[in-house]
Amino acid sequence: MATATTGPTIKVLVVDDSNTIRRSAEIFLKQGGHEVLLAEDGFDALSKVNDYQPQLIFCDILMPKLDGYQTVAIIKRNPQFAGTPVVMLSSKDGVFDKARGRMVGCQDYLTKPFTKDQLLQAVQQFGRAQSGVQ
C-alpha cells in the first residue's frame, strides 16, 4: 500500500494566533501524512509541548502574551526539549528577525504566507533528523 508520505509520520506542533494559518498548516501537514497539534499562543504551546512532546515545532513570532522568541527560548531552556527543532513563522523576513530567531534556538525561518511544499520540505528536513534521534 503506497501512501503519500515521504517517510515516517512526524508529530508537529503549529503555534500561531491566526486561525487561518493554523488551519492551512494543519491541512498541508495532514496531507503529508503527519500528526498535527495546534496552539494559539505561547502559553498554549508550552503546555502542548510538555503534554505531547512534538518532534517539530512551527512557531509564529508576533503573538499576544508570549511572542515566538520568548516561547522558543522557554522551550529550549528545558533539557528535554532543547533538541526539538523549531521553525519560526513570520510575515517579516528581515535579517534581524532571522538572527534573533537563531539566537533563541530556531533552526529555520518560513515567511508567511508559506506554501504546502515549503512546509512539508521543512518537516522532511528537520523532522526526519529528530525522528531518528531520541
Side-chain angles (χ1 to χ4, degrees), residues 58 87-91 108-112 114 118-119 122:
F58 287 99
V87 176
M88 298 303 264
L89 301 174
S90 181
S91 47
D108 204 1
Y109 201 97
L110 279 184
T111 305
K112 296 191 276 188
F114 46 78
Q118 287 173 315
L119 207 60

Side-chain angles (χ1 to χ4, degrees), residues 1 22 41 48 54 63 77-78 89 91 95 99 101 110 117:
M1 281 186 218
R22 283 196 315 273
D41 61 43
K48 293 223 165 97
M63 296 185 292
R77 244 181 262 144
N78 182 329
L89 301 174
S91 47
V95 174
L110 279 184
D117 288 345

Side-chain angles (χ1 to χ4, degrees), residues 13 15 39-50 57 59 63 71 75:
L13 173 63
V15 187
E40 59 190 51
D41 61 43
F43 290 110
D44 190 17
L46 295 175
S47 69
K48 293 223 165 97
V49 165
N50 202 41
I57 301 167
C59 186
M63 296 185 292
T71 302
I75 291 168

Side-chain angles (χ1 to χ4, degrees), residues 12-52:
V12 183
L13 173 63
V14 178
V15 187
D16 201 302
D17 58 327
S18 161
N19 188 43
T20 306
I21 296 291
R22 283 196 315 273
R23 299 300 298 163
S24 55
E26 179 181 32
I27 290 164
F28 293 159
L29 291 165
K30 282 187 173 176
Q31 286 173 347
H34 302 293
E35 189 179 334
V36 185
L37 305 161
L38 302 174
E40 59 190 51
D41 61 43
F43 290 110
D44 190 17
L46 295 175
S47 69
K48 293 223 165 97
V49 165
N50 202 41
D51 293 347
Y52 300 104

